[in-house]
Amino acid sequence: MKGLIGYFLHSYTVSQRFFGPVAGVIIAVLILYSYKPNPVMSSYSATAVFLFIACAWLGLSFLNHEQAVQKQVVIVQLRSARRYSIGGLLTLVLLTLLLDVIIVMYPVLTGSFHEPAGLQRILLGLAGHALMGLLGITLSLYLQSSWVPRAGYAAGMMLILLILSISAGKVADVVPGPVVSILLPPVYPVMDRMMNAETLPVSSVLVAYAHALAYIILLAGFYIYRTGRMDYNKTN
């Protein structure tokens, strides 16, 4: 699996498709922290949303960066489409965690907060950013060209999901019942708990994190199961 992840990192780097999402989130973070001082958890909540959007974009560009023939050759060599998908997913997790650490530690190391962040808030920030990034990744899994051949449709659906996920609090006021909380990625609950973590009990934040983790595991698990049953000879 190490060789497969190394292959993905090399081919994705050579494709240079990583530049847009990575540069976008770094610029957004630099702009946010260009004004000092900043509140700790509110700033982390904002940068977590940046990472959610960037990882959705990153995931889509990563999953589409290979030519169909190249993808088929790799799957044949591995003798398993499911193994190929797991390798790709682990590569995306690795990239997400790298961005997570950079974004969370940057304001700590540059003194951008109005007070010391403290270990507990740094850990909550790391976990919250990781979950938000992985939520973005899970959305991209189902919108890659193997699943949605038309790039315009995929981009449109991605944009709609991003907007609805971030504004789920407002959407829930219009759509009664548990529909919103069940169907939409739990971006809003994580964002809200991170923003109000200074006044809420830690258990409340952790419940929102557990909800997001369960959502990620469910979508990633179904994706791995489904990719093992797809015929990649028919992909574009």
Side-chain angles (χ1 to χ4, degrees), residues 58-59 62-63 88-97 137 140-141:
L58 181 81
F62 173 85
L63 294 164
L89 194 52
L90 290 176
T91 306
L92 285 171
V93 171
L94 186 63
L95 293 173
T96 300
L97 294 180
I137 294 297
S140 69
L141 296 176

Side-chain angles (χ1 to χ4, degrees), residues 28-39 43 106-107 110-114:
V29 170
L30 291 177
I31 292 174
L32 177 68
Y33 290 121
S34 62
Y35 299 95
K36 301 178 182 178
N38 297 275
S43 300
Y106 173 77
T110 57
S112 299
F113 292 139
H114 64 78

Side-chain angles (χ1 to χ4, degrees), residues 4 7 23-24 44 50 53 82 84 108 123 126 151 168 179 184 201 210 214 220:
L4 182 59
Y7 158 75
Y44 277 160
F50 295 161
I53 297 170
R82 194 164 289 160
Y84 174 91
V108 176
L123 291 176
L126 286 169
V179 176
L184 287 180

Side-chain angles (χ1 to χ4, degrees), residues 75 80-87 224-229 232:
I75 291 174
S80 171
R82 194 164 289 160
R83 184 177 171 83
Y84 174 91
S85 299
I86 292 173
I224 292 170
Y225 165 75
R226 187 70 185 86
T227 52
R229 303 174 67 86
Y232 282 91

